[in-house]
Each structure stands twice: as structure tokens, then as C-alpha cells.
Amino acid sequence: MAEPRWLNEKEQQAWRAFIAAQRVVNSRIEQQLQRDAGIPHTYFEILVRLSEAQEGRLRMSELAVATMGSRSRLSHAVNRLERYGWVRREGIESDRRGQVAIITDAGREKLVEIAPGHVEEVRSAIFDALSEEQVDQLYAVCTALAEHTSQER
């Protein structure tokens, strides 16, 4: 068995800083959405993805990929959003097992209501602490990580 590729001191510091930042930012975003809308970030992301989709609709399988969630977790979230009246599902005639999720007018209204508080929390938690150059670097680093990690799957 090969020797583990241990992190050097600089890598260890970067890793720990990444974890700390991720936890703080995620916690702030979750708290804001729970406080202001009573929903987790995942539900907000589903509403955003649907609002940006053509005709406000996406196949459940596409929505699962877009939100990087499992189909069962997505199904549970969409069930809850349906109970709120913010999303509805329809079957697909050409695919008896397929379904699409569709954002409702009430879902769009809810998104318009909660988006300003969410974007302010994102700005406060992340962008207010960064220079314009650091924002560019953050984008480059996150894009590289996402591409590298998705290729390994």
C-alpha cells in the first residue's frame, strides 16, 4: 500500500481555514433563511433553480443534478415545497416514470420576498470581507475545485 500523501504545513493551514470559513458562512446562510423564511438553504436553492429554468420547470433528475442532492432528498424537499404551495409536480407523458417540478406563482412571490435578505447575508458573510481581486480569486479557486472534484466521481 502506498504511503499517504500527507498535507504539508501550508496545506494543513489552508484546509483548516477552508473548513472554518465554510462552516461559518453555511451557518449564517442557514440561520438567515430559517429566521426570515422558515426554510433551509436547500429549499431556497430549489426555488432559485426552478425560477431560472425555462418556463419555471425542470425534470426532477435535472434538479437533483443542479442542486447536487440525492433524488430521495430532493423528493422530500419538493414534497415540502408542494405543501407550502410553492412548487407543483407533473408527470411527463413521454416518460411514465419521469416528473417535472414547476415553481408556482406563490413560489415566485416567496422567492421575491426572501431573496433580498438572503443576498444581503451572502454579501455580509463573504463579499464585504474581500477585495475585487479576492473575489476573482475566490471564483477561480471554487471553479477549479468543483471541476476537479466532479471529474473524480
Side-chain angles (χ1 to χ4, degrees), residues 1-146:
M1 182 173 214
E3 179 71 18
R5 298 184 314 143
W6 299 109
L7 301 180
N8 65 35
E9 187 174 339
K10 185 176 181 180
E11 291 168 333
Q12 186 69 251
Q13 289 173 344
W15 169 243
R16 290 183 180 178
F18 172 80
I19 294 297
Q22 181 184 33
R23 286 183 178 151
V24 169
V25 169
N26 286 344
S27 177
R28 284 185 60 175
I29 299 302
E30 282 294 334
Q31 288 174 4
Q32 178 273 319
L33 286 168
Q34 285 292 343
R35 179 186 67 241
D36 294 353
I39 61 171
H41 189 232
T42 302
Y43 292 14
F44 180 81
E45 185 178 6
I46 290 167
L47 291 174
V48 168
R49 297 289 182 157
L50 290 173
S51 75
E52 293 173 344
Q54 186 175 1
E55 298 179 18
R57 54 195 301 130
L58 281 173
R59 289 181 72 104
M60 290 289 286
S61 57
E62 293 172 318
L63 189 54
V65 169
T67 59
M68 298 183 80
S70 69
R71 288 186 185 191
S72 63
R73 185 174 293 168
L74 175 67
S75 184
H76 174 75
V78 170
N79 284 341
R80 179 68 55 92
L81 292 170
E82 281 183 300
R83 284 197 292 268
Y84 293 153
W86 300 341
V87 171
R88 65 183 168 78
R89 273 190 261 205
E90 288 181 0
I92 300 171
E93 285 186 33
S94 62
D95 180 358
R96 291 173 44 206
R97 293 187 321 177
Q99 288 188 319
V100 293
I102 305 162
I103 190 168
T104 64
D105 289 343
R108 287 186 189 280
E109 289 171 15
K110 187 64 175 179
L111 196 54
V112 166
E113 175 189 323
I114 61 180
H118 173 71
V119 76
E120 182 56 38
E121 192 66 32
V122 169
R123 179 167 299 290
S124 173
I126 299 172
F127 297 105
D128 287 350
L130 302 176
S131 68
E132 192 171 325
E133 182 180 347
Q134 288 171 318
V135 171
D136 292 340
Q137 292 168 348
L138 177 65
Y139 175 77
V141 167
C142 292
T143 300
L145 290 173

